[in-house]
Amino acid sequence: MAAADLAQIADVDIDPDGVFKYVLIRVHSAPPSEAPAEESKEIVRGYKWAEYHADIYDKVSGELQKKGYSCECLGGGRISHQSQDKKIHVYGYSMGYGRAQHSISTDKIKAMYPDYEVTWADDGY
């Protein structure tokens, strides 16, 4: 698999409104055993249906592994998405995966929502 295949995976997929958990995932183009020429990218996934951060990671990584990718969770947090006000705030951490690097997550979200005010903070749970 090549970087072109990775480009087919959306950088951001989050629920359109509300407060919910999210994870930052690094997707690799090849299993770790085939790593030398491997390409990777980070993706943001956040959904209200998830009770735990692991619920999101398990679902997303399972779907991507079926397509031949390997994944690692880089951490998690929460997202407050206020679509009416065009605001997204990324904050907090995951008990299981630790704190995601919110600056990476917000950069990806800003690219997906260029007309939004996107902020982040390390505080909160």
Side-chain angles (χ1 to χ4, degrees):
M1 271 187 214
D5 296 320
L6 284 173
Q8 302 300 312
I9 302 169
D11 284 355
V12 176
D13 184 26
I14 61 174
D15 277 346
D17 207 65
V19 175
F20 44 86
K21 292 182 169 131
Y22 94 94
V23 290
L24 181 63
I25 300 170
R26 179 169 293 140
V27 182
H28 300 273
S29 60
S33 60
E34 302 169 21
E38 155 195 7
E39 300 275 345
S40 67
K41 73 182 277 186
E42 286 77 37
I43 62 172
V44 176
R45 297 294 184 266
Y47 309 108
K48 283 190 268 191
W49 57 258
E51 187 175 351
Y52 300 102
H53 291 91
D55 296 338
I56 300 170
Y57 179 71
D58 291 347
K59 181 178 189 306
V60 173
S61 64
E63 290 169 358
L64 291 171
Q65 286 168 358
K66 288 177 191 168
K67 297 177 181 176
Y69 299 102
S70 62
C71 301
E72 62 180 306
C73 188
L74 302 178
R78 292 181 183 267
I79 292 175
S80 172
H81 188 170
Q82 301 167 31
S83 57
Q84 277 194 316
D85 297 331
K86 295 194 173 210
K87 290 182 179 182
I88 295 176
H89 184 62
V90 180
Y91 64 98
Y93 61 94
S94 161
M95 292 292 283
Y97 296 118
R99 184 182 325 279
Q101 198 168 345
H102 298 323
S103 59
I104 293 172
S105 302
T106 54
D107 285 346
K108 300 255 178 207
I109 293 168
K110 282 178 187 175
M112 183 82 170
Y113 295 89
D115 57 338
Y116 272 56
E117 177 187 333
V118 182
T119 57
W120 67 272
D122 277 338
D123 55 332
Y125 172 75

